[in-house]
Amino acid sequence: MSQPSPQPAPAQKFATRCIHAGQHPDPSTGAIMTPVYMTSTFVQSSPGVFKDGYDYARSKNPTRAALEANLADLEGAAHGLVFSSGLAAMDCVLHQLRAGDHVILSDDVYGGTFRQLDKVFRHLGVETTRVDMTRLADVEAAFRPATRLVWFETPSNPMLKIIDIAAIRGLVDRHRSGPASGVRDAGLGPLGQPLARAVLVVDNTFASPYLQNPLAQGAHIVLHSCTKYIGGHSDLVAGALMTGDEDLAARLKFTQNAVGAVPGAMDCFMMLRSTKTLHIRMQRHCENALAIAQHLAKHRAIEKVIYPGLESHPQHALAKKQMRACGGMISCIVKGGLEASRRVLERVRLFSLAESLGGVESLIEHPAIMTHSSIPPEARAKLGIADGLIRLSVGIEDVDDLIADLDRALV
Ligand SMILES: *Cc1c(COP(=O)(O)O)cnc(C)c1O
């Protein structure tokens, strides 16, 4: 049984840490890859005496521990926790709230993120205000004494808005919270103390740790849907939280075990294999997406291309400052509305028509009909999710083939 290795020296570069952070040869055999520890329990030498915290696999599993150490390192966090899905990771954060608490949510987020707040936690007494977080004055105006959580994605989904992490953290720090709702209750363990101040959560799924590290820019917690770039091969569903805050880490760790939405060892192993190539996959995703965005921007069948790496993007300067490159996601509006965009989606052959994103293979989808259909039409229109909007998750195939496929579908 093995402890996650200590974090490598900070001097190591990202690519090296992708491959080595949190990993070490298996102590029993020297196996270079962390084994898949398919076990639910661990033998104790005497009641309550067990090694390195391994008593039951919901609480701790060696394959998961190696992955958690690896992901924490890639986000520059002291603590990483892995979950059975991105939304399970979100659920773990929302359990830190109490009835009467208030959340400020970016207006343009993954549909399931909005649904969890609107259809699950609203019912439990948590209120949510949605704001366009590119407008800092609107964010500031949305704070209430009861605000305990500020939550956004950058780049956002599907409009690829870039939100200024450091500026929003500044607003969170200026906010004075009112008395916490709910009384202190020692019987509740780490959750016994209500959150005293607003916590900033950044969903870093679209960027991956390769493009930006929100904790370094002021986020208290980073969330990933590992289903996307971290898994990277469209073959698993998982989520992660990272934080450098000891109090938050204790609460989240307690909740992970108490609620129990943990991934299996095999999925953790697959993610450990995936993070070894995260840096080269992301590099190619970004190169391909930039070339395709530039190509589509000149295409006569396209009304508008939304890509943070183009100068036409409203937050292009912020993207250049905040991110190392601009990512693999492109949204664009096809001339001719719903019918024209439907034709494109039916005609592509190399791009697969599917929800999700972040895999090595290129995907294409229609937000108004697919990922964002749960948002009412008026709200969609307000967000700019036009009927002709299509979203591309650019894979790592040869970019010439991807461009040829789009050109054929766009005639
Ligand atoms: C997919 C996604 C989620 C939800 O993650 P699951 O792994 O599907 O539960 C959350 N945020 C963003 C930005 C996503 O793309």
Side-chain angles (χ1 to χ4, degrees):
M1 207 81 38
S2 49
Q3 280 281 50
S5 65
Q7 304 219 336
Q12 286 188 341
K13 298 281 180 29
F14 188 83
T16 308
R17 287 152 52 214
C18 281
I19 295 165
H20 296 289
Q23 299 180 58
H24 51 86
D26 180 54
S28 60
T29 63
I32 192 161
M33 278 303 292
T34 303
V36 189
Y37 281 92
M38 290 285 215
T39 187
S40 59
T41 193
F42 304 87
V43 176
Q44 309 192 5
S45 57
S46 171
V49 180
F50 44 84
K51 280 177 100 168
D52 300 339
Y54 293 109
D55 61 343
Y56 184 66
R58 172 166 27 73
S59 312
K60 196 173 176 190
N61 169 287
T63 318
R64 194 175 95 215
L67 175 63
E68 290 178 336
N70 178 259
L71 292 178
D73 187 276
L74 296 185
E75 280 292 11
H79 303 277
L81 295 168
V82 186
F83 296 84
S84 53
S85 71
L87 290 183
M90 176 184 189
D91 172 76
C92 181
V93 176
L94 294 188
H95 278 301
Q96 311 313 312
L97 301 177
R98 295 182 172 192
D101 284 350
H102 174 244
V103 180
I104 304 178
L105 178 69
S106 170
D107 59 355
D108 182 27
V109 286
Y110 178 69
T113 298
F114 174 65
R115 182 177 57 200
Q116 188 171 127
L117 274 161
D118 186 54
K119 298 282 191 287
V120 182
F121 282 86
R122 182 162 62 90
H123 163 72
L124 299 174
V126 173
E127 279 191 58
T128 301
T129 305
R130 299 178 80 180
V131 275
D132 177 350
M133 294 207 183
T134 61
R135 301 155 73 106
L136 294 175
D138 291 4
V139 181
E140 192 161 23
F143 276 95
R144 301 180 192 169
T147 302
R148 296 275 183 270
L149 210 55
V150 177
W151 189 296
F152 63 87
E153 302 167 5
T154 180
S156 70
N157 181 4
M159 300 309 292
L160 304 176
K161 291 197 253 190
I162 306 297
I163 294 165
D164 190 331
I165 301 168
I168 302 273
R169 170 61 189 264
L171 297 180
V172 169
D173 284 346
R174 285 224 296 281
H175 168 64
R176 293 283 157 256
S177 300
S181 53
V183 288
R184 201 179 178 326
D185 180 349
L188 291 176
L191 306 191
Q193 182 83 293
L195 287 179
R197 303 194 28 74
V199 170
L200 175 59
V201 183
V202 174
D203 179 335
N204 203 26
T205 299
F206 269 39
S208 89
Y210 175 79
L211 292 179
Q212 70 191 7
N213 296 123
L215 297 176
Q217 302 182 43
H220 296 108
I221 299 172
V222 168
L223 176 141
H224 281 280
S225 167
C226 302
T227 315
K228 316 297 167 50
Y229 288 107
I230 287 178
H233 295 73
S234 309
D235 52 10
L236 58 86
V237 174
L241 298 175
M242 295 83 161
T243 184
D245 181 294
E246 294 302 322
D247 175 53
L248 286 172
R251 302 174 70 108
L252 296 169
K253 172 102 197 107
F254 174 84
T255 310
Q256 181 197 39
N257 183 49
V259 176
V262 293
M266 188 65 203
D267 282 356
C268 292
F269 175 84
M270 286 163 68
M271 282 183 268
L272 276 170
R273 171 185 258 226
S274 291
T275 55
K276 289 184 188 294
T277 56
L278 180 65
H279 54 299
I280 47 176
R281 284 187 285 113
M282 288 312 298
Q283 189 183 348
R284 183 62 66 86
H285 282 297
C286 294
E287 287 167 10
N288 282 359
L290 179 61
I292 290 173
Q294 285 167 341
H295 179 78
L296 293 178
K298 294 180 300 210
H299 203 289
R300 59 193 156 67
I302 298 289
E303 190 175 310
K304 183 179 173 190
V305 179
I306 305 165
Y307 183 68
L310 295 182
E311 274 171 28
S312 59
H313 189 283
Q315 293 98 34
H316 175 65
L318 175 60
K320 279 177 68 178
K321 186 179 95 179
Q322 189 165 274
M323 304 171 73
R324 294 182 192 104
C326 290
M329 300 300 295
I330 302 172
S331 289
C332 60
I333 300 177
V334 179
K335 283 182 189 159
L338 188 61
E339 272 324 300
S341 58
R342 189 191 297 276
R343 244 183 349 261
V344 175
L345 296 176
E346 287 169 355
R347 289 175 57 103
V348 284
R349 285 187 224 146
L350 190 49
F351 278 84
S352 298
L353 175 56
E355 301 198 5
S356 197
L357 60 111
V360 290
E361 59 286 288
S362 293
L363 302 181
I364 191 164
E365 69 113 4
H366 193 282
I369 300 175
M370 297 166 67
T371 45
H372 292 70
S373 60
S374 60
I375 300 175
E378 321 80 68
R380 278 206 306 266
K382 212 168 141 233
L383 285 172
I385 306 178
D387 284 347
L389 186 80
I390 58 179
R391 190 190 76 183
L392 310 179
S393 170
V394 177
I396 62 172
E397 300 95 336
D398 191 290
V399 72
D400 293 343
D401 292 330
L402 294 174
I403 288 177
D405 192 44
L406 291 171
D407 280 348
R408 193 172 44 236
L410 278 166
V411 287

